[in-house]
Amino acid sequence: MQYVSTRDNTLHVTAAQAIATGLSADGGLFTPEKLPHIDPVFINKLTGFSYAERSVEIMSLFLDEFSRDELLSFAQSAYGAQKFPQGNAAPVKTLDTGLHVLELWHGPTCAFKDLALQMLPHLLTASLKKNNEQRRACILVATSGDTGKAALEGFCDVEGTNILVFYPQDGVSDIQRLQMTTQRGGNVGVCAVRGNFDDAQTGVKAIFSDTALRARMDQAGYFFSSANSINWGRVLPQIVYYFSAYCDLVAQGRLRQGDTMNVCVPTGNFGNILAAYYAMRMGLPVGKLICASNRNSVLTDFINTGVYNARRPFYGTLSPSMDILISSNLERLLFDFSGQDSEQIRTLMNSLKENGSYAVSDSVNNTLKSTFYAGCCDDEQTQKTIASVFTGCGYLLDPHTAVAFDVYDRYKKETGDTAPTLIVSTASPYKFCKGVLSALGEDTQGRSDAELIDKLEEVSGVPAAQPLKAVRTLSQRFSQVVERDAMLGYVTKTLGI
Ligand SMILES: *Cc1c(COP(=O)(O)O)cnc(C)c1O
C-alpha cells in the first residue's frame, strides 16, 4: 500500500517511509492512498482472537512491507502482560443497557496513548531497517500531557533513537509533570515551554520545517521524526481497538454481528476519533461519531458551522490533554472528504496559518454533520458528571472521559438515539486526582500528589493505578524551562550538534 501527503497527492511513499519521517516535508500528513475494506467474515474471525492477534490482522492490511510474524512479535511485546498487567489491553465495560466504556488506560502510563506508543517504537525501528537508514532518529514530541510520558516510556533506550519532549509549563497536571520529569533512560530529554500546548506544537513544527537545521542534523548523523499523532504509526494502532471493542461486544452478546454502535470520543488533536472514522470507512458498523470537546470548543463550532476558527481565547481546563485549538489530524479527515484533493487542503491550511481560520464548502459541511455529532462541556459540567456517574453507578471517570459522558448525554436527549454506544475512556482518574476529588466534594488544598492519590483511593474505593503510585518514589531528573523560540537551542544542545 502506498501513502500520500495530504498537501501533495502526487508524492507517494511506502509505509516504512511514512512512519520513519512522521511528517511530510511539505508540511502535510501521510495518509493511505486507499483504505482497505473488510467484510463480516473478517470481523467474525477477529472475534476469537486476542488483542495482539487482532492488531496483526488489522495492521497488516495497511503494512504490506511488514510480515505477519514481524507484526505478531511487535504486538506480543507491545500488548503483553508485561505492559498491560490486567491481561487485556483494551477491555470494554458495560455500565448500562447500550452504554459501554472502552477503557484504554491499563498500560504503563495510564492513558490511551500507550496503545499506540507501545507499538510505534517497533514500527519505527523496523522501518529504519527497511529504509537502510544509517542515521539516528531524533523524535520530537509536543505534548499536552499524556503523549509525552507515553512516548518517553515507549522509546526509552530504544536503539537508534533519541527522544525529546516539550510540554507547556503550566498546562499539565502535577502527576503528568512528575511522570515526565522523572523519566529514566539514556536517550531521553524533557523540557518545559513557556506557553500553552499550541505554542509547543507550533515550535516543534517549526523545527521540523527548518531546512538549515535539517542539513546540520544530517551531517551529524541524525534526522527528525515524530511520535505525535501526525505520524501514521500512531493512528494505525488506534484503529485496532475500535474493531476489538466491537468484537468483544459481539462475543459478550451485547451486539449482534452487523448491529451498528455509536462511538463517543473525548477529542483534542483529532487522532483518536479519526481512527474511529477510518474503522467506519473500512466497514466497521459505526453509527454516529460523537466528538466531545471541553471549553476549547473549536471542533464543536467547526462541525456545526463549517468554519474552523482558531482565533479565540485558549482556556486551561480540568481536561488538559484536550486543551488544543489547532487539531492537526482534522487535515486527514478533510483530505478524505475532499476526495484526496491536496490543492484544496493546501488552500485551507494556508488560510489557517495566515488568518487563523478557514471555511469548508457547504457540501463538506453537510458530510461532516451527517457523520459527526459535536458538543462541548465546561469544567463545572465536567465535575458534575464525575459526581453523578460515581453516585449513580460507582464508576469513577477522569475529567476527559467525563466530557465525553456529558456530551453523549446531550446527544441522546437531543436526538432520541438510543443505539448502543461505546464511550472511549482515555485516562485513569488517578492521573487527575485534584479535579476528580474536588468533583466528589473533597478539599484538595495544600495536599501533595501522594496524599491526593491516597485520598482518592479512600474516597472512591477504586484501587489506584500502580505506575502512578510509584511516581512519588522517583526523583526529578529534568527541570529546564525555555521560551518557544529557544526550543531549537534545546534540541541542538541536547544532541550536541
Ligand atoms: C490525548 C488525549 C485526548 C485527546 O486525544 P486526541 O487523539 O488528541 O483527540 C483525550 N483524552 C486524554 C486523556 C488524552 O491523553
Side-chain angles (χ1 to χ4, degrees):
M1 170 174 311
Q2 294 280 297
Y3 289 76
V4 289
S5 163
T6 48
R7 299 196 194 174
D8 179 3
N9 59 17
T10 64
L11 179 71
H12 289 79
V13 299
T14 63
Q17 287 166 330
I19 292 168
T21 44
L23 186 69
S24 176
D26 53 33
L29 310 186
F30 289 119
T31 300
E33 192 174 29
K34 280 205 191 77
L35 283 174
H37 284 276
I38 54 91
D39 56 20
V41 178
F42 178 87
I43 295 181
N44 251 336
K45 182 174 78 174
L46 290 192
T47 303
F49 285 0
S50 69
Y51 190 82
E53 291 164 333
R54 288 172 182 171
S55 80
V56 174
E57 293 301 315
I58 297 187
M59 294 203 308
S60 63
L61 299 172
F62 290 88
L63 302 174
D64 22 85
E65 314 139 80
F66 292 71
S67 73
R68 297 172 85 80
D69 282 350
E70 206 176 359
L71 292 176
L72 186 62
S73 78
F74 299 167
Q76 281 167 342
S77 102
Y79 303 126
Q82 211 184 355
K83 299 300 171 72
F84 290 84
Q86 285 225 337
N88 184 348
V92 181
K93 299 254 162 83
T94 294
L95 294 192
D96 199 350
T97 317
L99 179 61
H100 313 287
V101 184
L102 174 59
E103 291 184 348
L104 296 178
W105 38 265
H106 295 288
T109 77
C110 310
F112 89 94
K113 308 291 198 291
D114 285 329
L115 276 294
L117 281 162
Q118 284 299 317
M119 176 55 71
L120 180 65
H122 296 287
L123 295 175
L124 191 110
T125 46
S127 295
L128 297 182
K129 291 206 186 94
K130 290 180 202 296
N131 298 342
N132 282 321
E133 181 58 73
Q134 305 298 320
R135 299 167 300 174
R136 288 176 75 81
C138 174
I139 294 141
L140 290 186
V141 179
T143 183
S144 55
D146 291 327
T147 299
K149 177 60 182 181
L152 287 163
E153 204 50 48
F155 280 99
C156 169
D157 290 331
V158 169
E159 210 181 307
T161 69
N162 285 71
I163 174 158
L164 302 177
V165 170
F166 294 97
Y167 69 90
Q169 185 184 19
D170 300 315
V172 301
S173 83
D174 294 339
I175 293 181
Q176 286 179 312
R177 177 183 304 104
L178 268 175
Q179 279 188 297
M180 290 188 277
T181 56
T182 57
Q183 177 66 41
R184 73 208 153 85
N187 64 338
V188 307
V190 176
C191 180
V193 180
R194 284 200 188 91
N196 59 38
F197 170 71
D198 288 312
D199 291 311
Q201 177 161 259
T202 308
V204 164
K205 282 186 181 165
I207 295 174
F208 261 106
S209 49
D210 184 328
T211 37
L213 179 64
R214 265 177 196 256
R216 221 168 117 194
M217 291 278 287
D218 187 52
Q219 280 204 327
Y222 286 101
F223 73 101
F224 285 128
S225 187
S226 168
N228 279 100
S229 57
I230 52 177
N231 192 322
W232 177 249
R234 270 284 299 278
V235 178
L236 177 57
Q238 297 183 167
I239 297 175
V240 175
Y241 47 72
Y242 292 104
F243 280 90
S244 178
Y246 189 88
C247 292
D248 283 349
L249 289 170
V250 169
Q252 294 163 11
R254 305 202 187 265
L255 286 180
R256 278 164 312 176
Q257 171 76 267
D259 284 353
T260 57
M261 67 175 184
N262 298 322
V263 173
C264 178
V265 187
T267 297
N269 226 358
F270 211 77
N272 201 355
I273 198 166
L274 179 78
Y277 171 76
Y278 283 143
M280 179 176 89
R281 290 269 278 113
M282 289 166 68
L284 188 71
V286 171
K288 205 72 167 178
L289 290 165
I290 302 165
C291 176
S293 304
N294 63 24
R295 192 178 173 200
N296 296 294
S297 59
V298 63
L299 286 168
T300 312
D301 299 342
F302 173 60
I303 292 171
N304 291 329
T305 66
V307 177
Y308 193 94
N309 184 2
R311 286 214 172 150
R312 56 173 73 212
F314 176 96
Y315 301 110
T317 72
L318 291 175
S319 43
S321 302
M322 292 152 65
D323 291 346
I324 291 176
L325 296 181
I326 298 172
S327 277
S328 300
N329 268 299
L330 203 52
E331 183 167 341
R332 285 189 166 111
L333 180 78
L334 297 172
F335 186 63
D336 195 60
F337 277 3
S338 71
Q340 306 206 330
D341 182 346
S342 46
E343 200 177 306
Q344 197 180 321
I345 300 304
R346 273 203 309 273
T347 309
L348 294 178
M349 294 305 135
N350 255 336
S351 168
L352 182 62
K353 196 169 166 199
E354 304 293 319
N355 316 316
S357 70
Y358 60 79
V360 296
S361 66
D362 286 347
S363 87
V364 168
N365 190 213
N366 288 336
T367 316
L368 257 179
K369 281 199 284 204
S370 63
T371 314
F372 293 87
Y373 170 92
C376 57
C377 148
D378 64 14
D379 277 351
E380 194 187 329
Q381 197 54 37
T382 304
Q383 292 198 308
K384 274 193 189 149
T385 305
I386 293 173
S388 70
V389 172
F390 185 68
T391 318
C393 58
Y395 190 74
L396 196 60
L397 300 175
D398 96 282
H400 303 76
T401 311
V403 168
F405 268 70
D406 179 71
V407 170
Y408 173 59
D409 216 38
R410 199 130 17 102
Y411 168 76
K412 238 181 9 184
K413 286 197 186 109
E414 252 173 52
T415 62
D417 181 5
T418 55
T421 298
L422 184 73
I423 299 186
V424 181
S425 176
T426 48
S428 159
Y430 283 92
K431 262 191 130 157
F432 304 95
C433 287
K434 216 178 255 169
V436 174
L437 274 168
S438 62
L440 299 179
E442 296 294 326
D443 182 13
T444 59
Q445 284 291 320
R447 290 182 197 262
S448 71
D449 296 316
E451 287 168 338
L452 291 177
I453 290 181
D454 292 341
K455 184 78 191 165
L456 185 54
E457 262 191 322
E458 181 195 316
V459 170
S460 69
V462 177
Q466 215 40 51
L468 297 177
K469 276 190 117 164
V471 160
R472 50 189 159 182
T473 62
L474 306 174
S475 53
Q476 181 166 330
R477 278 182 73 194
F478 301 100
S479 57
Q480 197 165 340
V481 186
V482 300
E483 301 293 335
R484 185 171 112 187
D485 56 12
M487 288 168 62
L488 192 147
Y490 177 82
V491 172
T492 52
K493 190 156 169 251
T494 309
L495 297 179
I497 63 166

